[in-house]
Amino acid sequence: MNRFALSVSAGIARITESALGPYQSAVIRIGFSATWLLFLLREFPHRQEMYGPDAPWSWGLAHQLVTSNGAFTALMWSDTQIWFELIYAVAVLASALLLLGWRTRAMSVLFMVGVVSLQNRSVFMGDGGDNVLHLMSVYLVFTRCGQVWSLDARRRRLADEARARGERVVDRTGPALWAVLGFALVAVTAGGRFDGIDPTVPVILWLTWVAQAVWWVVARRAKSREPRVLLDVVANLAHNGALLVIMAEACMIYSTAGWYKIQGTRWQDGTAVYYPLHLDYFSPWPALGDLMSSSGTMLMLVTYGTVIVQVAFPFTLLNRRLKNVLLAVMMTEHAVIAVVLGLPFFSLAMIATDAVFLPTPFLLLLGGAAARARDRVRTRAGRTPLPEPRPAESAEPTHAGSTA
């Protein structure tokens, strides 16, 4: 009984004392923000036909659908061209800043608003990758995804160094950003823009805004450490819970896809992969599709292998080595889908989802290689290489100022 109690106590301490998976959460932050940013930039010339006034799914039709299903989209607040351009610009800017890790808490909220606003405006424009991005944009809000590989982490390191030298560090950007976003949130709420829609997004917006205010006050006014420790515990629980949900979502996606494939006759006879390779919509490189479909044995192996990997992956999480092997296979498969079937953003979204399972040593090697490449570029440009933060420093919990 004592051993059981000690194990439970150790488990509780582990999930409350720190935000787990700092590198994994950074990778999914970078992956999802890069996917959405690249999509918005690629479709910039066609944005009017996809989400704007020239869309086949008109503003009036979208308004009727939103009224019936209660979905949140800021594009329904006005049908003017200026408002659409503003929302699109905010979506692009929030994606870029989240990618860089600048004020990750605020940018993750704006990133979520941009994703759901555009996707809910034209619900028939997306595919499976858009559905994944839609869900993950909500989960990212609850993660402390700026602990490493971010401008927030760099600012924390510089601030700690300044305090160690006895200098006074004042963050004016965080409170100013909080005040601007708070004014907008109050104005939107007072204007009745949240009336009649699902409360999920408004609750998240108000919750994060109020939480940042409480965090700032406690960090600067509390006379003891207990209130700050309590807030850290709550934030760590939210982060770790969100990571767990992301992992469960990935397992759900693969397991349901695999089990539904098993029921299909084309997957059972090993010919399912042949058909999308010969559809014009999924054939950006017809010669490559013909080459892959020229071997019946290869098609059968790919068809059956896809089903086996998707069904088996959730069960391999108990075996680290086998999990890593299947993870590499799935990422490779998505990369092939991106090239052969012309679905780059679906593949990027799925690869970003898979990244939550990547082992920390591999991510550290990847980060080290990126840092060395960055230093070589800076050296050639005649600039001083940036110091690489130590893992112990990078894994520290985020401060209130870094997420304002």
Side-chain angles (χ1 to χ4, degrees):
M1 185 63 182
N2 289 336
R3 288 184 179 180
F4 176 76
L6 289 175
S7 298
V8 172
S9 177
I12 294 175
R14 179 171 173 77
I15 63 176
T16 57
E17 290 180 353
S18 63
L20 304 176
Y23 295 96
Q24 286 79 4
S25 59
V27 168
I28 61 176
R29 181 200 87 229
I30 294 170
F32 288 121
S33 58
T35 300
W36 185 238
L37 177 62
L38 292 174
F39 174 78
L40 293 178
L41 293 178
R42 191 194 73 167
E43 300 300 339
F44 185 81
H46 314 291
R47 65 191 186 283
Q48 302 290 347
E49 292 78 15
M50 295 185 65
Y51 305 112
D54 298 334
W57 187 251
S58 66
W59 190 90
L61 290 174
H63 188 270
Q64 293 181 30
L65 181 61
V66 168
T67 302
S68 63
N69 63 16
F72 171 87
T73 171
L75 287 176
M76 290 294 98
W77 298 348
S78 174
D79 61 351
T80 63
Q81 178 68 30
I82 295 177
W83 180 250
F84 166 73
E85 297 291 358
L86 177 62
I87 296 299
Y88 202 94
V90 168
V92 171
L93 181 61
S95 301
L97 293 178
L98 184 62
L99 174 65
L100 297 174
W102 185 82
R103 307 288 170 174
T104 51
R105 185 69 69 189
M107 291 306 110
S108 65
V109 173
L110 291 179
F111 177 75
M112 176 194 68
V113 171
V115 170
V116 299
S117 293
L118 291 173
Q119 291 189 353
N120 288 340
R121 162 63 177 85
S122 298
V123 293
F124 301 109
M125 297 297 299
D127 55 22
D130 293 301
N131 294 334
V132 172
L133 188 63
H134 192 114
L135 293 171
M136 297 303 173
S137 68
V138 178
Y139 302 151
L140 272 179
V141 174
F142 298 96
T143 64
R144 309 180 84 169
C145 54
Q147 298 178 89
V148 297
W149 298 341
S150 67
L151 294 179
D152 284 349
R154 179 176 180 271
R155 187 177 66 254
R156 285 196 306 275
R157 176 174 57 81
L158 295 177
D160 291 341
E161 293 174 356
R163 292 189 185 95
R165 295 192 299 267
E167 301 176 6
R168 184 169 179 265
V169 178
V170 179
D171 178 25
R172 294 184 176 88
T173 304
L177 182 61
W178 177 86
V180 171
L181 295 179
F183 176 81
L185 182 59
V186 171
V188 168
T189 304
R193 300 300 184 179
F194 292 149
D195 296 345
I197 68 171
D198 184 88
T200 302
V201 172
V203 167
I204 292 176
L205 296 178
W206 274 105
L207 181 64
T208 53
W209 187 70
V210 172
Q212 288 302 111
V214 172
W215 201 315
W216 189 89
V217 171
V218 169
R220 288 157 179 77
R221 304 298 181 186
K223 297 180 180 180
S224 62
R225 286 179 48 86
E226 285 76 9
R228 175 58 189 274
V229 171
L230 176 61
L231 292 180
D232 265 328
V233 168
V234 173
N236 291 337
L237 284 173
H239 168 91
N240 297 331
L243 278 188
L244 180 61
V245 171
I246 292 174
M247 293 179 182
E249 189 75 39
C251 292
M252 182 86 62
I253 291 172
Y254 284 119
S255 61
T256 53
W259 286 108
Y260 273 113
K261 285 182 175 65
I262 289 176
Q263 302 174 44
T265 56
R266 294 294 177 263
W267 291 95
Q268 293 174 7
D269 60 27
T271 62
V273 175
Y274 174 85
Y275 298 98
L277 292 175
H278 292 81
L279 293 175
D280 292 338
Y281 185 80
F282 296 110
S283 299
W285 316 100
L288 184 58
D290 293 338
L291 178 63
M292 293 187 63
S293 61
S294 61
S295 172
T297 302
M298 180 60 68
L299 284 176
M300 183 185 67
L301 291 176
V302 172
T303 301
Y304 288 155
T306 299
V307 175
I308 292 172
V309 168
Q310 290 183 345
V311 172
F313 178 72
F315 301 100
T316 64
L317 297 181
L318 300 177
N319 188 303
R320 182 175 303 176
R321 292 182 178 179
L322 186 56
K323 180 264 294 182
N324 291 338
V325 171
L326 289 189
L327 192 60
V329 171
M330 290 192 303
M331 287 185 166
T332 302
E333 180 184 17
H334 287 305
V336 172
I337 290 174
V339 176
V340 177
L341 298 182
L343 297 172
F345 300 109
F346 165 78
S347 298
L348 283 175
M350 293 308 304
I351 290 174
T353 304
D354 296 340
V356 74
F357 297 105
L358 288 174
T360 299
F362 171 77
L363 294 177
L364 290 174
L365 290 175
L366 188 64
R372 289 190 294 271
R374 176 203 64 194
D375 291 341
R376 284 196 295 269
V377 172
R378 292 179 65 87
T379 301
R380 291 175 182 175
R383 303 172 65 183
T384 304
L386 296 174
E388 185 176 352
R390 297 189 297 271
E393 293 177 339
S394 301
E396 290 178 359
T398 51
H399 294 291
S402 67
T403 59

